[in-house]
Amino acid sequence: MDGLVSWRSTRVPVLAKHKPSPLHHNKPNNFSIRPSMNPNPHAGSRSVTSIKAQQAEVSIVNKEEELKVKEWEVGMLKEEVAASQGIKIRRRPPSGPPLHYVGPFEFRIQNEGNTPRNILEEIVWNKDVEVSQMKERKPLSSLKKHLENAPPTRDFVGALREANRRTGFPGLIAEVKKASPSRGILREDFDPVEIAKAYEKGGAACLSVLTDEKYFKGSFENLEAIRNAGVKCPLLCKEFVVDAWQIYYARIKGADAILLIAGVLPDLDIQYMIKICKILGLTALVEVHDEREMDRVLAIEGVELIGINNRNLETFEVDISNTRKLLEGEHGQLIRQKDIIVVGESGLFTPDDIAYVQEAGVKAVLVGESIVKQSEPGKGISGLFGKDISL
Ligand SMILES: O=C(O)c1ccccc1NCC(=O)[C@H](O)[C@H](O)COP(=O)(O)O
């Protein structure tokens, strides 16, 4: 059960292509030539052509090294920007400057900094590797060709507003969730399409489909199968987005909305990704966990849906009063002024929990564990709200 419950600091495969991270401060300041490329001291005895060829090779190697250093510097700047916005999650392992400057590969992977500091960081590092590999197999140019065959997107926010108006309760985003790092396997007999249909019948306004395989036992196949099964509820692709490529991929797999986590993505990335979402007709659910993230997200133009996660994704601690705390005072006022819909996420189990977050100001809730674990997930919804909300 790689990645589930027994979370421990595992090492993340370091891709050869990884841009070294800024957090390693041994910035190289001089270029060396690889020993194998060193001009031969006896070159004088060799032909002018072979010396020139060797010099050209040395120059190419130096250019490649310069490029790697530049990439490393850009990575360093990006991490600095993220850190200045309070983002603690590093996007990649701090593998340091290009390999030959810091010693053997073994040194690099044993380097203490190459151990993720918490589960979210581990997920993000793995996702970065996974996405790089997927991008090589399916480059953006080829994804774009599939866009015209993608099913039309449905109005995610509209469905939540309508459910809220119809039932008087927060609109429900019901999560198709087989497992999680904090809880392990939630449901053994997991049929994503059956669960999705049961949720829809039980009154869910929208569905959230986990697509991460390693930590949540989800998949894009699940998302596609639910969409192709004719489920009408708009679908949220519940992913750990680190690259805009994933948004295109989610769109062609049938998503209507996608999650963007403020604890992982700097402001400029969120801004850019929201623009991509708008172009593709997707809704962005921008997730925050603390006041600083809420401040940042409220300052970004175009945000229409904010999720407040009651679960700290670094420690797994769940506290539903987080929703109330983040909606108090100026934040709440600004949210109302901007007519933003807020989703209360995680740790909701009872009608009292729903009433509590509703009173705090949410118009929607995102619920996984408490309903997916029920033998009849549709009826689990009535239990959660204390009322049949399908009518
Ligand atoms: O659920 C986890 O253990 C988890 C761990 C690390 C990152 C994200 C995680 N969960 C994502 C979610 O936020 C929840 O799936 C979602 O809000 C539903 O929560 P719940 O109703 O408590 O299952």
Side-chain angles (χ1 to χ4, degrees):
M1 260 210 330
D2 206 2
L4 299 181
V5 179
S6 60
W7 183 77
R8 68 210 178 284
S9 298
T10 49
R11 298 207 186 285
V12 175
V14 179
L15 273 191
K17 273 185 149 183
H18 261 165
K19 290 185 190 87
S21 152
L23 297 179
H24 192 301
H25 289 291
N26 296 336
K27 178 180 178 289
N29 48 19
N30 58 350
F31 299 134
S32 61
I33 298 168
R34 281 186 200 151
S36 62
M37 295 299 162
N38 266 340
N40 186 334
H42 306 295
S45 62
R46 296 170 59 184
S47 75
V48 174
T49 328
S50 95
I51 293 169
K52 279 195 173 151
Q54 220 172 26
Q55 282 171 341
E57 209 179 333
V58 168
S59 147
I60 289 169
V61 170
N62 279 348
K63 288 225 158 58
E64 281 172 4
E65 287 167 355
E66 274 179 56
L67 194 65
K68 279 186 200 151
V69 173
K70 281 272 170 293
E71 282 179 351
W72 179 78
E73 284 173 346
V74 169
M76 184 156 109
L77 280 175
K78 280 189 181 164
E79 295 272 10
E80 268 173 24
V81 168
S84 75
Q85 291 169 10
I87 297 172
K88 289 180 264 153
I89 301 299
R90 298 164 299 174
R91 193 70 75 86
R92 296 181 183 93
S95 44
L99 187 56
H100 50 288
Y101 296 113
V102 292
F105 183 69
E106 287 73 19
F107 169 81
R108 222 172 80 175
I109 58 170
Q110 281 163 18
N111 182 354
E112 205 191 339
N114 276 336
T115 302
R117 290 191 284 227
N118 54 56
I119 182 64
L120 183 57
E121 192 163 84
E122 183 184 317
I123 295 173
V124 165
W125 289 6
N126 272 288
K127 195 55 73 182
D128 188 54
V129 175
E130 190 184 303
V131 172
S132 306
Q133 290 165 348
M134 285 175 82
K135 275 169 83 172
E136 270 178 26
R137 287 200 302 275
K138 300 177 204 273
L140 188 57
S141 53
S142 87
L143 281 195
K144 283 184 175 170
K145 288 188 196 133
H146 292 281
L147 280 176
E148 57 197 48
N149 301 323
T153 51
R154 285 88 51 99
D155 182 359
F156 198 87
V157 172
L160 293 175
R161 285 190 196 278
E162 169 55 22
N164 178 233
R165 193 200 52 73
R166 178 178 63 81
T167 66
F169 287 111
L172 172 66
I173 307 171
E175 189 151 278
V176 180
K177 182 179 189 181
K178 177 167 183 169
S180 77
S182 63
R183 299 278 200 243
I185 299 285
L186 295 169
R187 192 181 177 99
E188 289 289 354
D189 63 328
F190 187 81
D191 180 334
V193 172
E194 284 312 305
I195 293 169
K197 285 183 174 167
Y199 282 159
E200 180 162 77
K201 209 165 155 225
C206 299
L207 306 183
S208 160
V209 184
L210 279 151
T211 47
D212 177 81
E213 295 189 17
K214 186 172 166 74
Y215 297 92
F216 293 85
K217 306 242 169 270
S219 70
F220 278 96
E221 285 73 37
N222 289 355
L223 178 67
E224 201 167 29
I226 292 170
R227 182 72 206 246
N228 291 341
V231 171
K232 294 199 176 55
C233 289
L235 306 179
L236 169 74
C237 172
K238 194 84 183 298
E239 244 307 335
F240 293 85
V241 173
V242 291
D243 190 308
W245 179 93
Q246 294 165 277
I247 304 176
Y248 286 86
Y249 195 60
R251 171 72 184 93
I252 64 172
K253 292 292 178 184
D256 304 286
I258 191 150
L259 181 72
L260 303 177
I261 304 178
V264 171
L265 299 167
D267 298 356
L268 264 184
D269 282 1
I270 297 179
Q271 228 170 312
Y272 170 66
M273 288 178 181
I274 286 177
K275 281 198 182 130
I276 304 279
C277 284
K278 293 228 155 103
I279 291 168
L280 297 179
L282 292 176
T283 299
L285 170 60
V286 189
E287 182 177 293
V288 302
H289 176 68
D290 60 30
E291 303 200 32
R292 183 154 187 195
E293 289 172 7
M294 181 65 103
D295 280 337
R296 284 175 46 215
V297 167
L298 285 175
I300 296 174
E301 212 176 302
V303 173
E304 50 176 346
L305 189 62
I306 295 181
I308 297 180
N309 206 335
N310 298 313
R311 177 177 288 112
N312 179 330
L313 303 185
E314 296 172 24
T315 63
F316 294 151
E317 196 185 310
V318 180
D319 176 2
I320 68 167
S321 73
N322 196 43
T323 295
R324 197 182 61 192
K325 192 169 103 197
L326 266 57
L327 287 176
E328 274 166 359
E330 282 177 20
H331 287 150
Q333 272 173 21
L334 202 50
I335 283 164
R336 286 188 291 280
Q337 261 171 33
K338 292 183 163 210
D339 198 23
I340 292 172
I341 294 274
V342 176
V343 185
E345 301 177 0
S346 302
L348 303 170
F349 286 85
T350 66
D352 281 352
D353 292 343
I354 298 293
Y356 179 83
V357 290
Q358 183 167 23
E359 225 158 88
V362 308
K363 295 267 190 300
V365 287
L366 195 162
V367 184
E369 180 179 348
S370 68
I371 48 177
V372 83
K373 276 172 110 170
Q374 306 303 320
S375 53
E376 291 183 63
K379 290 203 178 132
I381 295 177
S382 312
L384 174 68
F385 284 84
K387 191 177 172 224
D388 183 354
I389 58 160
S390 69
L391 306 169

